[in-house]
Amino acid sequence: MSLSNLSFVKSWVSIPANSDFPLQNLPFGVFKTENEKERVGVRIGDFVVDLKALYILGYLENLPFELSDFDAIVLNLMMKKGKKSVRELRNRLLKLLDNQHQSLQKNEHHVSQVLIPIEQVTMCMPIQIGDYTDFYSSREHATNVGMMFRDPANALLPNWLWIPVGYHGRASSIILSGQNIHRPKGQIKPDPNSNPIYAPCRNLDFELETAFITFDGKALGESISTEEAEEYIFGMCLLNDWSARDIQTWEYVPLGPFLAKNFASSISPWIVTLDALEPFRCESPKQEPEVLDYLKFKGEKSFDIQLEVSILTPNGLEQNIAKSNFKYLYWNMSQQLAHHTVNGCNIRCGDLMGSGTISGPTPDSYGSMLELAWKGSKPIPFSDGTERKFLLDYDTLIIKGFAEKDKLRIGFGEVRNKILPAL
Amino acid sequence: MSLSNLSFVKSWVSIPANSDFPLQNLPFGVFKTENEKERVGVRIGDFVVDLKALYILGYLENLPFELSDFDAIVLNLMMKKGKKSVRELRNRLLKLLDNQHQSLQKNEHHVSQVLIPIEQVTMCMPIQIGDYTDFYSSREHATNVGMMFRDPANALLPNWLWIPVGYHGRASSIILSGQNIHRPKGQIKPDPNSNPIYAPCRNLDFELETAFITFDGKALGESISTEEAEEYIFGMCLLNDWSARDIQTWEYVPLGPFLAKNFASSISPWIVTLDALEPFRCESPKQEPEVLDYLKFKGEKSFDIQLEVSILTPNGLEQNIAKSNFKYLYWNMSQQLAHHTVNGCNIRCGDLMGSGTISGPTPDSYGSMLELAWKGSKPIPFSDGTERKFLLDYDTLIIKGFAEKDKLRIGFGEVRNKILPAL
């Protein structure tokens, strides 16, 4: 099945118009139902395909997988089999679910065991995350932050155009869409002339990001080139890198953000493979000055993925506050991974790598409250008469993402979390 | 068995004079032998006590452990049982190995199965590390760095006396004593007026640290107080936080160290419990200004642990370059853990928390080459006629640690790694 004409292939599974999850997507996730514990599935339309059931019924024969790869609480065992195997698996699923293909389609009893309506399903954390790295790869975001906190005339720091800047985050506090978070407490210094105080965060923010998840990499000491990088990437999801701006301001010099970030980061439950995103490849911004050799790359390494942020207020109003696009990122995933390993740092199956806040060129495309309300100086008006400089208790922050072209829509679903008051 | 008179208790196992591992230590580790795969052991003198064998022979009955806790490639399953259980286990071992106790001592056949000479053993990475956090808790180190790189008159940053500053490190590249490392490559900017270049690190450094390892903590959103903190600490080991100073200088603003650190960090193989260190409790430096309430603590929360650094040169000369002490640290482990969780960040069984470089007050007690050779301005002379501003290829860096008082010596062994040229 060639990728170029894939958008005309239909599934025998009924798929709602404008669904994020046509046959051509088939993202992987982990789910459970009332009667059965966690297992691996792929999403199609408003159904989850139970890969454990599919395996038991014999539909995944002659593939390099075992029952335990799907009868699992995370995707890691399946991912351990590597990119080639996961691609073969996804191609088998594309075939089984294609309406030209009869075997599963015509066996009603099997279909009822394998296809589970999404409303009967609880999604689970899909990955046992090894290490979490967050990059800082949007030039617009880095420029905005530099203008607000440093020198507007020299907003970008000297290293930014040379290095895909990144830092290590906390894996333990990565949570799934749907889980509520509590407003964090910590040290803040509201009055620059007084001592710091211990208090609930006053400037709670989101960061609009995507993340990619890795397969096992090379041994410690070896590097992954930009050319090889995508062979080590399993897929992508949406990421909200929650940020406590007042904690961050006081703590981050000189070793970077710590408690300002590690109280929670949330991800969407379905991992969309790079294969599914193939039709949406595009150029990324021209890099000037020319990057060092190990960061050079050939071909299109970015993807045209539309991103939207909205807030569901305690009044029940859902209002869009930003629209951005993954393609705005200055540094692409292949460069990020090449840089991460250029010193010999090893990556493992299940590492999560955040893009950094994805801000676009216009004020309605900024990826954080900090930028949208410009450090509190331009509060965002809401149709219910309220306004926001930062996030309020009982706000629900929703990030959605999808790629769309020639009537093909490959979506990520959403990452959605409500803020509860500090404990 | 009371802790106060513990130093007079002897084991029936023969223990060399001045051993790091008397009966009163019994640190935990994971080892393998030529004929059998990884399993859990404790060290005594020049032997490893095989806990798997001990369990099978029935000596660990009526303790809350199963065979799989010891027949394991890491300590995590055992640690999952919590502080109280591990303490019971260690107390049982203290009893079994005490020369007043007959059951094991008098069964030669059992002894031969359970006691393995250290030279027949290969040590393994003892912990599946979840998240790795590194603190920056030595006032002397932070002051030295501030004097060299920032303002000598205001060497300490404004937040340092208020916050036990920390940052997230990389878990994947934590290695064991004995494993060689390669000099990392990366972006450096040797000429401030020229573009950065890609080259092997020229200023390779060690950092003298200890680390503590945690039990499972509380749920996301909850905090651990200074009073509770030690109940969540399993034990301590030595840590060398390898650092590429030239990579660090160019990359670290604004998000902290990344590739300068994540090419390798190495730990010693034996985890010494806080119970074993109990006789060595001591005061830590007076904290002025008074810390915020959540960082206040009662009692002695530091430990008098002597630390030594030496370099084994390619010529075969082993020369001491620094002597320091854990007790110099301004922020103690209870404060570090309380701070880490004050925003609701969760910790998990097997997290590793580094102390930060432990520099003392005098130039011969500094915990890094950066400080010892003062940014290259005072090269360290070696008896073989060579000198060092930073570490050279084929140098072996050795950190040792031990607590000693009233004829009782509780040691950590060593962390020792050789530097190979860049790949």
Side-chain angles (χ1 to χ4, degrees), chain A residues 254-267:
Chain A
L255 299 181
F258 183 52
L259 297 192
K261 302 275 193 175
N262 68 14
F263 60 94
S265 315
S266 39
I267 63 170

Side-chain angles (χ1 to χ4, degrees), chain B residues 188-245:
Chain B
I188 58 176
K189 203 165 181 290
D191 177 355
N193 301 313
S194 296
N195 289 338
I197 59 170
Y198 167 66
C201 161
R202 297 168 186 186
N203 300 344
L204 183 58
D205 204 353
F206 71 94
E207 290 193 333
L208 164 61
E209 302 197 19
T210 61
F212 68 87
I213 292 130
T214 64
F215 290 112
D216 267 323
K218 298 184 180 179
L220 187 69
E222 296 179 36
S223 305
I224 294 172
S225 69
T226 56
E227 199 167 352
E228 298 166 318
E230 288 185 353
E231 289 306 302
Y232 294 92
I233 299 177
F234 167 52
M236 295 174 66
C237 63
L238 303 171
L239 168 67
N240 179 354
D241 184 36
W242 297 94
S243 299
R245 298 297 178 196

Side-chain angles (χ1 to χ4, degrees), chain A residues 18 32 40 73 75 100 114 135 156 168 173 185 198 208 214 262 282 284 289 301 329 353 381-382 409 414-415 421:
Chain A
N18 225 28
K32 61 183 179 185
V40 171
I73 61 169
L75 299 175
Q100 300 301 308
V114 159
F135 286 93
L156 270 191
H168 295 297
S173 52
K185 294 174 288 188
Y198 168 65
L208 164 61
T214 62
N262 68 14
C282 66
S284 33
K301 293 288 186 192
L329 288 175
M353 310 252 175
F382 275 68
R409 177 182 170 110
E414 62 179 26
V415 53

Side-chain angles (χ1 to χ4, degrees), chain A residues 250-297:
Chain A
W250 174 228
E251 78 170 358
Y252 91 103
V253 177
L255 299 181
F258 183 52
L259 297 192
K261 302 275 193 175
N262 68 14
F263 60 94
S265 315
S266 39
I267 63 170
S268 54
W270 294 108
I271 314 301
V272 177
T273 62
L274 290 199
D275 284 352
L277 292 167
E278 195 60 40
F280 304 97
R281 277 190 186 275
C282 66
E283 302 260 330
S284 33
K286 183 169 164 54
Q287 297 184 323
E288 178 64 46
E290 189 179 48
V291 299
L292 294 182
D293 282 348
Y294 79 90
L295 292 168
K296 288 179 182 159
F297 62 95

Side-chain angles (χ1 to χ4, degrees), chain A residues 122-390:
Chain A
T122 302
M123 296 306 298
C124 308
M125 178 59 66
I127 310 284
Q128 184 186 344
I129 296 166
D131 280 290
Y132 164 42
T133 295
D134 198 23
F135 286 93
Y136 185 57
S137 288
S138 156
R139 181 173 186 160
E140 291 81 1
H141 172 67
T143 303
N144 288 339
V145 170
M147 286 175 72
M148 279 185 267
F149 290 96
R150 290 180 290 263
D151 177 6
N154 295 288
L156 270 191
L157 286 164
N159 58 14
W160 200 92
L161 292 169
W162 294 96
I163 293 177
V165 172
Y167 66 104
H168 295 297
R170 180 91 189 164
S172 74
S173 52
I174 295 178
I175 59 172
L176 197 64
S177 177
Q179 186 175 336
N180 297 334
I181 68 158
H182 286 280
R183 179 176 294 271
K185 294 174 288 188
Q187 274 197 44
I188 58 176
K189 202 164 183 291
D191 177 355
N193 301 313
S194 297
N195 288 337
I197 59 170
Y198 168 65
C201 161
R202 296 168 187 188
N203 300 343
L204 183 58
D205 204 355
F206 71 94
E207 290 192 333
L208 164 61
E209 302 197 19
T210 61
F212 67 86
I213 292 130
T214 62
F215 291 112
D216 267 324
K218 299 185 180 178
L220 186 69
E222 296 180 34
S223 306
I224 294 171
S225 68
T226 56
E227 197 167 354
E228 298 166 318
E230 288 185 353
E231 289 306 303
Y232 293 92
I233 299 177
F234 168 52
M236 294 174 66
C237 63
L238 303 170
L239 169 67
N240 179 354
D241 183 36
W242 298 93
S243 299
R245 298 297 178 196
D246 41 1
I247 296 175
Q248 187 172 356
T249 306
W250 174 228
E251 78 170 358
Y252 91 103
V253 177
L255 299 181
F258 183 52
L259 297 192
K261 302 275 193 175
N262 68 14
F263 60 94
S265 315
S266 39
I267 63 170
S268 54
W270 294 108
I271 314 301
V272 177
T273 62
L274 290 199
D275 284 352
L277 292 167
E278 195 60 40
F280 304 97
R281 277 190 186 275
C282 66
E283 302 260 330
S284 33
K286 183 169 164 54
Q287 297 184 323
E288 178 64 46
E290 189 179 48
V291 299
L292 294 182
D293 282 348
Y294 79 90
L295 292 168
K296 288 179 182 159
F297 62 95
K298 293 199 185 104
E300 295 175 331
K301 293 288 186 192
S302 192
F303 296 91
D304 182 353
I305 302 168
Q306 301 179 52
L307 300 163
E308 297 180 352
V309 185
S310 53
I311 291 176
L312 173 62
T313 72
N315 299 330
L317 169 76
E318 184 172 331
Q319 180 170 318
N320 176 274
I321 57 168
K323 291 188 180 191
S324 188
N325 196 305
F326 181 78
K327 72 181 177 187
Y328 295 143
L329 288 175
Y330 189 83
W331 298 102
N332 60 53
M333 295 184 284
S334 297
Q335 292 179 306
Q336 290 170 341
L337 199 47
H339 181 66
H340 203 317
T341 60
V342 75
N343 67 343
C345 180
N346 56 331
I347 61 159
R348 296 179 296 189
C349 174
D351 288 346
L352 188 83
M353 310 252 175
S355 59
T357 307
I358 307 174
S359 292
T362 56
D364 59 353
S365 64
Y366 294 164
S368 67
M369 294 294 281
L370 178 70
E371 296 163 87
L372 290 165
W374 207 257
K375 214 178 166 185
S377 67
K378 298 177 182 169
I380 306 172
F382 275 68
S383 318
D384 62 1
T386 62
E387 62 171 36
R388 275 159 188 74
K389 297 175 177 176
F390 287 97

